Amino acid sequence: MPLALLALAIGAFGIGTTEFVMMGVLPQTAADFGVSIPAAGHLISGYALGVVIGAPLLTAVAMRLPRKTMLLAMMALFTAGNTLFALSPNHELGVAFRFVAGLPHGAFFGAGAVVAASMAGPGNRAKAVSMMFLGLTLANVVGVPLGTLLGQRVGWRATFVVVAVIGLAAIAGIAKLVPHQGVPTETSLRGELAAFRRPQVWLALAIVTFGLGGTFACLSYVAPVLTDVAGFEPSSVTLLLALAGLGMTAGNLLGGRLADRALMPSLYGSLVALATVLAVFTVTAHAKVGAAVTIFLIGLVGFMIGPMLQARIMDKAGGSPSLVSAAVQSAFNIANSIGAYLGGLVIAGGLGLVAPNWVGALLAVLGLAIAAVSGGLERREQAAPARLAAAEA
């Protein structure tokens, strides 16, 4: 695999760290700004809103830039946003700067996925994309636990200064290692928007939204499940989240390889496995060993889906993959919001802390149903020329 993928993975590592470490340092940030924990939660939703808005908007604005320039610009904005957030004097500006830091998230991954795929040889596109996303999953293994620890010991501002330094390292790596690819003359905003007329593109985005929504319905409330249901000490939660991160890393790599071999069968199998593991967690959550093993498996099967859908949506976008590839990140964050909202709804309804796993299993089944529709439509499209030829004969 090209060394340039390392530079993209460093950028993904920084983005993954800043997105998820906020959950780990939320108490320290709330205390520093003098606001409640729920109010400090706006720092998480502000970032997610930036991702949802920035992914299509910045991709469209920078459509005519060379993709290497696009990557450098997005990482520069990311670095600036995190630096300003680390210097925020109050909560209101903190939310604004988190929004700024989230804006380049989807555009970076959208352009990066196209660049990674273009550098890979035949039959290795999904594998190359998964190598870039390896940085995102490793952030959950290394970046988030260490960032949380740094925030607890030194202060949350130090955590985001380090994130900004990672952004600078990514800028240097992209500038040095990613080859110049020229202006993408084969694409235009009209062509990119035209890709959204294809039903398969919307079906792939729907699978992301609901399939991965199942994963987030569980993971959003996994900390109280581990302490109040499984019986772990709060000090053990960081290690268990790192275990989930290891599962995500393995799943990301495995998903990329399976997608290059047999994309749709692998996608079906992953969604079935996700629904099964989430349902099983309602039982295993009551025992420490069972809970730890299942947390790893949820990370594994949940994040196998990502590179599969990223590869599929680029294929279905035809020659205009940048905007729809960035839209995957918007769908990912919508999945996060839907999963967390529905999971919180059943807890508030008195169904217990393990109830979000049933919600997650049902969302995964819905994602599977959408995938089946997508696969059926594809088979009909492939069979249409044969039927036409038979009719003419």
Side-chain angles (χ1 to χ4, degrees), residues 14 39 45 53 71 77 131 145 155 173 176 180 187 191 204-205 207 216 233 268 284 339 347 352 372 382:
S45 56
I53 293 175
L71 290 169
L77 180 58
M131 291 300 293
K176 178 70 175 177
H180 180 72
T187 61
L205 291 172
I207 299 168
F216 289 115
E233 294 295 325
Y268 297 147
T284 58
I347 292 174
Q382 292 171 347

Side-chain angles (χ1 to χ4, degrees), residues 45-74:
S45 56
Y47 183 92
L49 182 62
V51 178
V52 172
I53 293 175
L57 179 63
L58 293 182
T59 300
V61 168
M63 189 71 65
R64 304 303 300 163
L65 290 177
R67 290 196 175 105
K68 179 174 180 176
T69 304
M70 168 77 158
L71 290 169
L72 290 169
M74 294 304 101

